[in-house]
Amino acid sequence: MSAKAWGGAFDQKTDPRVEFFTESISFDSRLAAVDIRGSQAHARMLAKVGLLTADECRQIVETLDVIGQEIARGEMVWKTELEDIHMHIESALIARIGDVGRKLHTGRSRNDQVATDLKLYVRDCLTELDTLLIELQQAFVDRCEADADVVLPGYTHLQRAQPVMASHYWLAYCEKLQRDRERLADCLKRVNILPLGAAALAGSSLPIDRHESARLLGFADVAANSLDVSSDRDFLAESIFVLSLISVHLSGWAEEWILWCTTEFGFLKLPDAYTTGSSIMPQKRNPDVLELMRGKSARVIADVQQILTLIKGLPLAYNRDLQEDKLAFFDAFDTVRACVDLAPSIVRHAKLQVETINARLEEGFLDATTLMEYLISKGVPMRTGHEVVGKLVRDCESRRIKLADLTLAELQQACDKIGADVNNSLGVKNVVERLSSFGSGGRKAVAEQVTAWRDRLQAK
Ligand code: ARG
């Protein structure tokens, strides 16, 4: 009998080059555990509807367990002629229990089988990633305590703009990661719809019970159109997109910290365990890990392109092109997982160079906007206030002094609405006391958010 599952109608042997060309075992062997889970549930469903006896089902389930352990120990030899993980497991089953094993594929095809495997696999991956993202959020929130009194310059266009509490920066990343987590959760809703039983494309004439399969595998619902679900890879495309956005978020963070580690900024020192040296310049401490997080985002973005291009021209239903879908997902997941796994340690162990930061914190007129808002509070129209402060800044620039160095008389000369209380609006320390709108970078508003984040992460 042919080793192939489909030898019956063929009178020629497959060209070995075709076997190498069409195989996927070299990359889908990692689906082994989910394939076994899916097959065991399928067997139980078949037994429930009477397509297998209880004893046949028991043999299949138990033997699949043994095969799974064998694969986990690395004992199964992958054979190109067996194409993919599904055929390897099924033929190992048949080799052990013969005709009973030959009944497992009743009422299903590899098309719905691989779609089911992928969904089980993606579900586990996205769930694991969510846990890692919580870790990273926690690392940022924990920094808020250590850096509670630190004020950082905020930038727009990479030009000094207004001061914010350091914690405001940390929580900004928590917000981004929270949206990532929400996207993962939303993605999971569509991952969690069962394909199994769609069979090749049209369903089955056998009395299979797909709702029972869904129940056994923890799917929330059963896909209602076999033609659609047997080839649907939307869930992969959106999962990879979500991964790419996580990667883009990490890339932006990495870029910021790379800048902060430069002599020019001098804001941050990375822990030695997460930097690397140079083979020629003995003094170097390079932020390679952060640079690679930035660099690896390119791959994940490319994976989005890959999956979309793969599915864009496919007629219904399964086409073999889809075999390549896994490459994009595995690459995106592995890449992002590795980044999110490393990031919390870097966040926890990097040190803000508070002395360096403070030494230059009053540079760049970070209090100009608050001074303008002080004028507004005294009844000066905003545009007039903007112009008044602009002129004061220009005056200070030419005299190489700060706004806070101006005397009350000089300030009143620029605008007679200014009183002695103007002092409370000048200088970075005062500015962060005055910034008070909800979600602002001021001391009180940020402290409220730190508390909110602590509660949120504790409640997880
Ligand atoms: N290895 C294939 C894949 O990953 C399994 C499905 C094959 N189906 C088929 N009709 N040839 O997509």
Side-chain angles (χ1 to χ4, degrees):
M1 193 160 306
S2 159
K4 296 234 187 306
W6 38 262
F10 287 59
D11 60 13
Q12 261 189 346
K13 275 190 59 151
T14 315
D15 184 321
R17 287 176 304 171
V18 170
E19 286 180 341
F20 275 103
F21 191 72
T22 55
E23 66 86 25
S24 55
I25 188 61
S26 56
F27 54 90
D28 67 15
S29 60
R30 60 197 274 177
L31 296 177
V34 288
D35 193 70
I36 285 173
R37 244 202 282 164
S39 287
Q40 288 175 325
H42 185 65
R44 289 191 172 107
M45 180 280 289
L46 292 176
K48 183 176 178 241
V49 301
L51 287 164
L52 287 178
T53 67
D55 183 60
E56 287 169 335
C57 174
R58 185 192 50 77
Q59 285 185 55
I60 290 174
V61 169
E62 286 177 8
T63 311
L64 284 172
D65 273 335
V66 174
I67 293 169
Q69 289 152 10
E70 203 177 289
I71 294 174
R73 288 193 302 266
E75 285 167 17
M76 186 175 281
V77 182
W78 306 128
K79 297 196 186 109
T80 309
E81 65 271 23
L82 283 178
E83 272 187 49
D84 57 25
I85 188 63
H86 324 294
M87 298 315 309
H88 275 81
I89 292 173
E90 194 186 336
S91 51
L93 183 74
I94 292 168
R96 282 164 201 255
I97 57 172
D99 276 351
V100 176
R102 296 173 71 86
K103 293 185 175 183
L104 171 63
H105 211 50
T106 303
R108 75 172 184 189
S109 108
R110 265 188 300 164
N111 299 348
D112 58 336
Q113 184 182 357
V114 70
T116 305
D117 287 6
L118 269 173
K119 282 187 160 179
L120 290 171
Y121 192 83
V122 169
R123 190 167 74 183
D124 289 348
C125 290
L126 300 192
T127 308
E128 183 191 354
L129 195 59
D130 189 60
T131 309
L132 292 173
L133 288 174
I134 295 173
E135 271 301 298
L136 183 52
Q137 287 181 315
Q138 189 71 59
F140 277 117
V141 171
D142 289 346
R143 277 211 75 109
C144 292
E145 203 147 310
D147 302 329
D149 291 319
V150 183
V151 178
L152 288 171
Y155 297 79
T156 64
H157 314 267
L158 216 48
Q159 302 290 315
R160 285 200 168 199
Q162 288 182 280
V164 294
M165 302 306 294
S167 301
H168 204 43
Y169 268 99
W170 310 153
L171 295 186
Y173 291 113
C174 284
E175 297 284 347
K176 288 177 192 294
L177 298 170
Q178 188 64 21
R179 291 194 295 275
D180 291 331
R181 293 185 53 210
E182 285 168 16
R183 270 183 286 270
L184 286 176
D186 197 63
C187 234
L188 276 168
K189 290 185 206 157
R190 286 167 296 281
V191 170
N192 224 5
I193 307 292
L194 178 83
L196 198 60
L201 77 162
S204 173
S205 59
L206 296 166
I208 56 172
D209 181 350
R210 299 182 61 212
H211 291 88
E212 174 65 3
S213 306
R215 193 185 65 76
L216 290 168
L217 290 169
F219 282 92
D221 208 348
V222 177
N225 186 307
S226 60
L227 203 53
D228 170 45
V229 79
S230 56
S231 58
D232 165 41
R233 294 296 183 273
D234 295 359
F235 70 97
L236 271 190
E238 57 178 309
S239 297
I240 299 171
F241 168 71
V242 175
L243 289 168
S244 76
L245 208 45
I246 295 171
S247 200
V248 164
H249 287 154
L250 292 177
S251 178
W253 162 68
E255 166 67 9
E256 188 151 87
W257 278 30
I258 290 166
L259 276 173
W260 285 6
C261 287
T262 58
T263 307
E264 285 69 16
F265 266 84
F267 283 9
L268 195 73
K269 191 167 174 299
L270 292 176
D272 277 355
Y274 301 94
T275 53
T276 50
S278 154
S279 59
I280 174 168
M281 297 166 284
Q283 86 285 13
K284 289 295 286 281
R285 231 187 222 103
N286 293 325
D288 296 41
V289 176
L290 293 174
E291 290 169 284
L292 282 168
M293 284 192 193
R294 189 177 56 190
K296 282 173 189 285
S297 66
R299 295 173 55 155
V300 187
I301 292 166
D303 292 325
V304 180
Q305 293 286 83
Q306 187 178 336
I307 188 74
L308 289 176
T309 311
L310 185 73
I311 60 183
K312 85 170 177 60
L314 295 184
L316 290 169
Y318 181 85
N319 296 273
R320 191 61 176 268
D321 315 44
L322 290 177
Q323 179 164 288
E324 303 269 317
D325 59 359
K326 293 156 213 65
L327 292 166
F329 180 80
F330 292 160
D331 184 64
F333 176 71
D334 292 346
T335 307
V336 173
R337 195 204 170 286
C339 294
V340 182
D341 185 44
L342 263 178
S345 304
I346 300 179
V347 170
R348 286 183 189 285
H349 301 298
K351 289 226 157 31
L352 279 179
Q353 303 300 91
V354 181
E355 272 182 35
T356 318
I357 292 165
N358 285 343
R360 301 189 58 192
L361 198 54
E362 296 296 343
E363 291 178 23
F365 302 97
L366 295 170
D367 49 1
T369 307
T370 310
L371 175 58
M372 179 192 73
E373 289 182 346
Y374 167 84
L375 296 178
I376 293 170
S377 75
K378 297 287 171 184
V380 178
M382 184 272 173
R383 284 288 158 225
T384 312
H386 189 283
E387 202 176 314
V388 168
V389 178
K391 283 184 178 142
L392 286 171
V393 166
R394 200 169 60 180
D395 182 34
C396 287
E397 277 173 335
S398 65
R399 296 162 60 192
R400 296 179 175 280
I401 60 171
K402 303 186 284 284
L403 287 167
D405 297 330
L406 293 167
T407 64
L408 184 57
E410 284 169 331
L411 287 163
Q412 284 174 332
Q413 209 175 351
C415 176
D416 58 10
K417 297 269 171 51
I418 294 178
D421 59 345
V422 70
N423 277 336
N424 298 332
S425 296
L426 293 174
V428 160
K429 285 261 143 56
N430 285 321
V431 172
V432 293
E433 298 304 329
R434 300 208 75 76
L435 290 170
S436 54
S437 58
F438 179 83
S440 72
R443 184 184 297 277
K444 281 209 198 74
V446 172
E448 273 169 28
Q449 290 301 316
V450 172
T451 308
W453 270 104
R454 275 205 185 291
D455 294 348
R456 202 176 295 173
L457 289 180
Q458 238 135 49
K460 85 198 178 210

